[in-house]
C-alpha cells in the first residue's frame, strides 16, 4: 500500500470509520479513570483514557504527515481539503450518535 492510498477512499467512508473507532474507544472510558488520571497520572489506572488519547495523537500525526509528504503545493491543498471533509463527517456522526441521548426526558429526582 502506498502512503497516500487512503486518500483514494471517499472522505465519508473514512470519517464514518474513524467515528466508529473513536466511539468504541470512548465508550470504554470509565469516570473513575478520569479521576485517577487527575490524581495519579498513572497509565495503569487510566488505561482506556490513555488509549483514547493515543488514538487522537496517532490520527493527528497521520494527518500531518499525509499533508507534509505531499510535495506539490496544489495537491497538498487537496489533502488538507480531504481531511477537513473527513473531520466534518466524523463530527457529524458523533453528533448523530449523541443526539438520541438529548431527547430522553430527564426524570425528576424524588424528594
Amino acid at each position: 500500500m502506498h502512503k497516500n492510498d487512503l486518500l483514494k477512499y471517499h472522505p465519508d467512508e473514512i470519517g464514518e470509520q474513524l467515528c466508529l473507532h473513536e466511539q468504541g474507544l470512548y465508550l470504554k472510558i470509565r469516570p473513575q479513570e478520569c479521576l485517577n488520571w487527575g490524581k495519579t497520572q498513572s497509565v495503569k489506572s487510566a488505561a482506556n483514557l490513555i488509549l483514547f488519547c493515543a488514538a487522537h495523537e496517532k490520527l493527528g500525526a497521520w494527518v500531518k504527515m499525509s499533508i507534509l509528504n505531499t510535495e506539490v503545493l496544489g495537491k497538498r491543498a487537496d489533502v488538507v481539503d480531504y481531511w477537513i471533509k473527513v473531520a466534518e463527517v466524523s463530527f457529524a456522526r458523533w453528533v448523530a450518535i449523541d443526539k438520541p441521548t438529548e431527547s430522553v426526558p430527564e426524570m425528576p429526582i424524588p424528594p
Side-chain angles (χ1 to χ4, degrees):
M1 182 180 241
H2 188 266
K3 61 186 174 189
N4 282 335
D5 279 352
L6 182 68
L7 303 178
K8 293 178 182 175
Y9 290 95
H10 196 278
D12 290 355
E13 294 175 33
I14 301 301
E16 184 174 345
Q17 292 304 311
L18 286 172
C19 179
L20 292 172
H21 177 69
E22 289 176 340
Q23 180 193 24
L25 294 172
Y26 180 78
L27 290 174
K28 292 178 183 177
I29 300 171
R30 298 290 162 234
Q32 190 61 41
E33 289 184 72
C34 298
L35 296 172
N36 290 343
W37 181 254
K39 291 179 185 175
T40 66
Q41 294 194 358
S42 164
V43 173
K44 185 178 176 183
S45 65
N48 294 315
L49 180 61
I50 299 295
L51 285 173
F52 182 76
C53 293
H56 275 272
E57 290 174 16
K58 191 174 186 178
L59 177 60
W62 188 21
V63 169
K64 179 174 65 173
M65 292 311 298
S66 72
I67 294 167
L68 295 177
N69 286 334
T70 305
E71 296 173 9
V72 179
L73 191 58
K75 289 185 179 183
R76 189 177 285 184
D78 291 341
V79 174
V80 170
D81 281 345
Y82 178 86
W83 286 114
I84 289 171
K85 290 175 186 170
V86 168
E88 289 171 344
V89 169
S90 185
F91 179 74
R93 299 272 187 226
W94 265 105
V95 171
I97 289 168
D98 191 45
K99 205 63 165 166
T101 60
E102 291 179 10
S103 64
V104 176
E106 292 185 26
M107 300 295 289
I109 299 173

